[in-house]
Amino acid sequence: MKYMNNYAVEFNNVSFRYHEDEPWILKDVSFKIEANKTTAIIGHNGSGKSTIAKLMNGLLLPEHGQIYIYGTRVEEESIWDIRREVGMVFQNPDNQFVGTTVKDDVAFGLENRGIPRLDMQKRIDETLKAVGMIDYLLHEPYRLSGGQKQRVAIASVMAITPSILILDEATSMLDPLGRKEILETVQHLRKKDNLSLIMISHEVNEMIKADYVIVMEDGKVSIEGTPKTIFSSEDRVKEVGLDIPLVTEFALSLKRHGMELESNPLTHEELLETLWTYHLKT
Amino acid sequence: MNSAFIIGQYIPGESFIHRLDPRTKISLIFFFVIFVFFANSVLSYALLTIFSFLVALSTKIKPSFIIKGLTPVWFLIIFTFTIHLIVTQEGEVLYRILGFPIYSGALIQGFSISLRFFLLILFTSLLTLTTTPIEITDAIESLLNPLKKIRLPVHELALMMSISLRFIPTLMQETDKISKAQASRGVDFRSGSLKSRVEAVIPLLVPLFISAFKRAEELAMAMEARGYRGGEGRTKLRELKIRKLDYLAMILFSLVIAGMFLLRK
Ligand SMILES: Nc1ncnc2c1ncn2[C@@H]1O[C@H](COP(=O)(O)OP(=O)(O)O)[C@@H](O)[C@H]1O
Ligand SMILES: [Mg+2]
């Protein structure tokens, strides 16, 4: 596929509904996602996040508006090229494991694309190494933990070298350890392969590390911007019904009590830094 | 959960029989099933029996495993034998048990039919003992391939089989979980009348079915997202290959069958 522009994903006035006589699920949605960045899409259950993800690789097609992946329009004719570029990992680790073993599962996407057997072997080894699952090559899915299954799912998707990776709540069914495992794996891959990473979540802590955040509310984009700008508008965030990270909440209430902090910290380190600066000044 | 059940009967190994192409194994068993019915003399039966035992030995699987695998069919074999004893009335009367005559023909008939039955079961169970379910699936896909011409969806059938194999343990885990959850609410699966036990299964089956449908829908979505578009233009990672070993097995088998025909009455 040709890369015709610098935006990994572009939604232009997209409207979508599942059936004709049903209400609109997405209403005139527009946004742009930059290439090689981590973008978080957050919002409540039912706000349309998964629908957006499925529109991005042609599992669904919009009723109005246009969607572009690197400038190529997503439509019936381009679907197979698009799916090569846009990889997707879903929520339930069990329901996306197609093969009877780890190796067969990673092979599935490669087989679908008619890759010769020798290349397949190589790609399978490479991607399983990259997600740290090479030792489990011949394991059946029931012998793996949820986090391990999700890492295999990531490897299966990465084997066909997409340039965009979408994680649709891929960590929400995992325990904290599994979640950490996945987030680290994904960040490692992003740096290694120059991926555009799109993380869909209703977990605020996952967006802190994103470069850009799009907040969905009831089928519309409600706020977008860097995590810092988003959380500085406390009222707006609460209106949407999202939690504010504990650290930010803490800093905001310090401000309310008259401490003039310079920035809105999102992580513990940033908080420490801010408090230091404040302390030095007073 | 019983792990032996999950992988079927397969017992990993490196024997000659294990390493044969699954298609060779399936075809040879198919012919064996046919030719067993041609045996009609003591010697021809003896040859087939010895051959089966040699094959069983060469799998290097512990005989106790093989015998255990045959347990459910012993009953059938003995049943067949008894029926023959009672029904057949050929030859001379050998004994009388409680006044009931046992004919020599019946003894011979009963014995040969039971032996045939036993050999068939033994031979086919060697297939499942030495071949993984997924190998069998691949072999069936490959053997049925010519039937694509008459529009038999061979690739789809094989994919269905392999997905079922993949999901059997998952669904078993789920059944286990649901039945524990229901048991903790006082549903009793293990005692009571048949009717009450059947009724107890319903709250188990309904959630299981609902979740299976959800899984199917999500899996279909995931497969499509990974570029699945049917069997056209697909390559395969797992490879079946007929090697020297397979030719050797075929020749050996042919010799045994030829010998059997020579020893017929
Ligand atoms: N296959 C479908 N058919 C009909 N409605 C659907 C379907 N999938 C989702 N919806 C509806 O679309 C809305 C948005 O769903 P979704 O995109 O899954 O939201 P999210 O991922 O943010 O939770 C929900 O109201 C949901 O009920
Ligand atoms: Mg969702």
Side-chain angles (χ1 to χ4, degrees):
Chain A
M1 208 171 86
K2 273 184 289 187
Y3 290 1
M4 290 190 278
N5 74 32
N6 239 348
Y7 287 108
V9 183
E10 205 177 327
F11 270 50
N12 259 345
N13 305 102
V14 171
S15 296
F16 178 86
R17 55 185 166 180
Y18 281 92
H19 297 286
E20 252 178 40
D21 44 1
E22 279 180 17
W24 292 95
I25 301 294
L26 295 184
K27 302 153 199 162
D28 202 21
V29 171
S30 304
F31 59 78
K32 289 175 179 178
I33 291 180
E34 274 186 61
N36 307 338
K37 294 269 165 67
T38 303
T39 306
I41 300 181
I42 58 173
H44 265 291
N45 265 339
S47 59
K49 305 179 302 289
S50 296
T51 307
I52 288 183
K54 285 169 193 162
L55 284 163
M56 283 181 187
N57 73 350
L59 289 171
L60 301 171
L61 292 171
E63 196 167 323
H64 297 301
Q66 306 87 37
I67 298 165
Y68 298 93
I69 303 293
Y70 286 109
T72 300
R73 180 154 177 202
V74 182
E75 51 198 344
E76 204 66 63
E77 298 84 61
S78 63
I79 278 184
W80 303 107
D81 294 332
I82 297 284
R83 286 190 193 154
R84 210 178 254 275
E85 291 303 317
V86 185
M88 199 150 141
V89 177
F90 298 86
Q91 181 174 20
N92 191 322
D94 260 319
N95 299 351
Q96 52 188 315
F97 207 112
V98 188
T100 43
T101 63
V102 168
K103 185 176 167 188
D104 285 314
D105 192 57
V106 180
F108 182 75
L110 298 166
E111 293 176 324
N112 289 339
R113 286 165 173 92
I115 313 273
R117 184 173 286 126
L118 278 179
D119 298 345
M120 255 196 263
Q121 300 278 12
K122 218 175 93 215
R123 288 298 301 156
I124 292 171
D125 286 353
E126 278 170 16
T127 39
L128 281 176
K129 261 183 211 140
V131 301
M133 288 295 291
I134 189 75
D135 295 337
Y136 298 85
L137 201 62
L138 297 177
H139 275 231
E140 296 88 355
Y142 66 87
R143 287 201 283 159
L144 303 177
S145 72
Q148 289 174 327
K149 275 182 231 173
Q150 286 302 63
R151 280 195 276 159
V152 174
I154 293 172
S156 306
V157 167
M158 292 308 295
I160 39 185
T161 59
S163 51
I164 301 171
L165 177 63
I166 306 175
L167 302 189
D168 186 359
E169 310 218 23
T171 61
S172 67
M173 290 177 75
L174 306 180
D175 54 17
L177 198 71
R179 191 170 296 181
K180 195 161 159 264
E181 232 171 76
I182 297 303
L183 295 179
E184 279 167 7
T185 304
V186 161
Q187 286 303 340
H188 165 72
L189 289 173
R190 192 188 67 78
K191 288 188 199 112
K192 185 166 100 37
D193 297 343
N194 268 332
L195 274 179
S196 311
L197 192 59
I198 300 174
M199 310 263 282
I200 296 178
S201 166
H202 56 242
E203 172 69 34
V204 236
N205 287 317
E206 276 182 26
M207 59 176 277
I208 294 172
K209 295 199 189 84
D211 299 305
Y212 197 76
V213 179
I214 297 172
V215 182
M216 291 299 298
E217 188 186 10
D218 195 19
K220 291 187 187 127
V221 176
S222 125
I223 336 169
E224 52 182 319
T226 60
K228 268 205 170 51
T229 53
I230 286 190
F231 285 122
S232 56
S233 46
E234 191 191 0
D235 301 339
R236 193 78 187 81
V237 172
K238 288 210 167 138
E239 217 178 279
V240 187
L242 286 170
D243 294 329
I244 288 190
L246 193 63
V247 170
T248 316
E249 182 93 66
F250 177 65
L252 287 171
S253 66
L254 286 181
K255 274 190 190 171
R256 269 196 299 274
H257 284 85
M259 281 172 74
E260 286 179 11
L261 300 181
E262 285 211 314
S263 63
N264 287 307
L266 294 173
T267 61
H268 288 99
E269 292 77 33
E270 284 175 21
L271 176 67
L272 197 65
E273 192 67 26
T274 318
L275 288 175
W276 253 129
T277 339
Y278 178 75
H279 182 73
L280 287 178
K281 277 201 202 150
T282 48
Chain B
M1 197 177 17
N2 184 353
S3 66
F5 183 82
I6 291 163
I7 37 180
Q9 290 186 305
Y10 176 68
I11 297 177
E14 281 293 312
S15 77
F16 167 65
I17 308 287
H18 278 90
R19 280 181 293 138
L20 283 180
D21 187 294
R23 288 170 300 179
T24 312
K25 289 190 247 187
I26 291 180
S27 321
L28 293 188
I29 284 168
F30 178 75
F31 289 118
F32 186 82
V33 168
I34 293 173
F35 287 127
V36 160
F37 288 95
F38 285 89
N40 63 359
S41 67
V42 176
L43 283 180
S44 57
Y45 270 116
L47 179 67
L48 290 184
T49 312
I50 293 170
F51 175 62
S52 308
F53 277 64
L54 284 180
V55 174
L57 276 181
S58 68
T59 60
K60 298 204 179 122
I61 295 171
K62 272 199 226 136
S64 61
F65 270 120
I66 301 179
I67 293 167
K68 214 168 75 193
L70 295 177
T71 331
V73 292
W74 282 127
F75 167 76
L76 271 176
I77 292 173
I78 292 167
F79 183 73
T80 325
F81 185 69
T82 320
I83 289 287
H84 270 277
L85 275 195
I86 296 170
V87 174
T88 317
Q89 301 194 335
E90 286 165 22
E92 44 196 289
V93 177
L94 291 179
Y95 321 96
R96 281 180 184 278
I97 301 177
L98 302 174
F100 193 90
I102 303 285
Y103 293 89
S104 64
L107 211 57
I108 295 169
Q109 273 277 351
F111 194 72
S112 66
I113 299 285
S114 308
L115 182 62
R116 250 180 222 173
F117 205 55
F118 170 74
L119 291 180
L120 289 183
I121 308 274
L122 175 66
F123 223 72
T124 33
S125 76
L126 289 182
L127 172 74
T128 48
L129 283 166
T130 62
T131 323
T132 59
I134 200 73
E135 274 181 314
I136 295 178
T137 308
D138 287 343
I140 291 176
E141 178 173 13
S142 163
L143 288 171
L144 291 184
N145 216 21
L147 298 186
K148 266 187 189 159
K149 288 212 183 71
I150 57 162
R151 302 263 179 95
L152 190 76
V154 177
H155 160 75
E156 285 76 7
L157 285 173
L159 187 72
M160 264 166 57
M161 266 173 77
S162 84
I163 289 177
S164 322
L165 288 173
R166 139 84 189 89
F167 273 94
I168 286 169
T170 309
L171 290 179
M172 275 176 59
Q173 276 172 341
E174 186 156 26
T175 314
D176 202 46
K177 221 175 354 183
I178 297 173
S179 72
K180 277 189 185 132
Q182 302 289 26
S184 76
R185 290 184 196 133
V187 179
D188 186 357
F189 301 101
R190 288 193 175 73
S191 58
S193 66
L194 186 65
K195 184 164 167 282
S196 76
R197 269 192 276 175
V198 170
E199 274 168 9
V201 170
I202 293 172
L204 185 86
L205 284 185
V206 172
L208 197 63
F209 264 88
I210 293 176
S211 110
F213 276 107
K214 187 159 173 277
R215 285 181 195 283
E217 197 187 338
E218 289 186 20
L219 188 74
M221 192 68 92
M223 284 170 61
E224 228 188 299
R226 286 202 225 156
Y228 179 71
R229 52 200 296 193
E232 270 325 291
R234 243 178 144 250
T235 46
K236 297 202 73 181
L237 176 69
R238 292 189 308 271
E239 186 180 29
L240 296 178
K241 228 181 193 159
I242 300 285
R243 282 167 304 188
K244 262 208 199 110
L245 211 61
D246 296 286
Y247 292 120
L248 199 69
M250 290 177 207
I251 294 169
L252 214 70
F253 181 79
S254 314
L255 288 179
V256 170
I257 295 303
M260 191 273 290
F261 273 97
L262 286 178
L263 295 173
R264 262 164 59 99
K265 260 197 297 230

